[in-house]
Amino acid sequence: MLDVAIAGGGLTGHSSGNAAYLAQFSAWGQARSDHAFDSDRQNLKECLSEQDRYQLTPRPVLETVEATLDEALVFLGQLDLDMAGIAVENGGSALMLETQAPFRSFLHTLTDDVIAFNRTCCALSNVPYEHKLSNDYKQRILRGVAAGWREFSLAASRLLLSRAEARGLDLSGSHSFGELS
């Protein structure tokens, strides 16, 4: 469990500065990633109980990914990051790498775990295309996951940029897409 307190609309911890906030975000992301597979299995159970066999693998995976990344955006929005001195590079905040870091392996691990689970799941053995996923089906799932990752990344970048603008920081000297050197 993270040691954080809500104060003045932003999360604060024992340390100050962006490094501490980003460490909190990273720990939060890792904790959510650890529970993502359980969430996927719960979503799968709900689909099976409704006897809805349409896309039994992609729907639960994408629901899990979207829910986790949506929660991450909310958490990121609560951090009281100091945007002064944070560069804007190629149209995005220089904090994006740290923002994405907790989730880099999450998406691959989740999809790998789901594929492995499907091969051994008795409930899916009666649905051959879900029990043993074809390469084409796996690629469709991965494209859906990639789209969710892209949406998260763009939303996180917009969030960070809007926080910088809201604090009246001058972003005019920053590099962005389309600028000529």
Side-chain angles (χ1 to χ4, degrees), residues 4-181:
V4 294
I6 304 290
L11 292 175
T12 59
H14 294 296
S15 302
S16 62
N18 288 346
Y21 294 128
L22 292 170
Q24 289 175 345
F25 185 70
S26 182
W28 180 91
Q30 183 60 48
R32 290 307 182 276
S33 295
D34 290 345
H35 298 288
F37 182 62
D38 293 334
S39 177
D40 174 78
R41 283 188 299 182
Q42 182 59 40
N43 289 338
L44 176 62
K45 286 179 188 176
E46 290 172 13
C47 289
L48 288 169
S49 71
E50 295 168 0
Q51 296 187 2
D52 185 357
R53 293 182 175 209
Y54 179 70
Q55 296 190 345
L56 279 172
T57 302
R59 281 188 303 137
V61 169
L62 296 178
E63 287 171 9
T64 299
V65 167
E66 288 175 6
T68 302
L69 296 177
D70 285 349
E71 290 173 16
L73 286 172
V74 170
F75 191 89
L76 182 63
Q78 294 173 342
L79 296 174
D80 192 21
L81 295 166
D82 181 5
M83 299 306 291
I86 303 298
V88 176
E89 301 167 349
N90 296 322
S93 172
L95 293 178
M96 280 308 297
L97 289 177
E98 290 93 342
T99 302
Q100 293 171 324
F103 304 101
R104 282 192 186 114
S105 66
F106 156 69
L107 300 173
H108 292 292
T109 301
L110 176 63
T111 53
D112 288 348
D113 289 349
V114 166
I115 290 166
F117 174 78
N118 279 23
R119 286 188 202 122
T120 62
C121 179
C122 291
L124 292 178
S125 64
N126 294 326
V127 189
Y129 59 91
E130 298 288 352
H131 189 63
K132 185 175 182 209
L133 305 176
S134 70
N135 286 334
D136 182 51
Y137 201 40
K138 288 178 200 175
Q139 287 303 310
R140 281 189 277 152
I141 294 166
L142 293 174
R143 282 192 296 274
V145 169
W149 174 248
R150 186 174 40 254
E151 287 178 29
F152 165 75
S153 296
L154 290 171
S157 182
R158 283 191 301 270
L159 174 70
L160 293 171
L161 292 173
S162 70
R163 306 244 353 246
E165 290 172 4
R167 291 197 166 93
L169 300 177
D170 180 15
L171 302 179
S172 62
S174 300
H175 302 291
S176 64
F177 289 115
E179 282 188 27
L180 298 175
S181 300

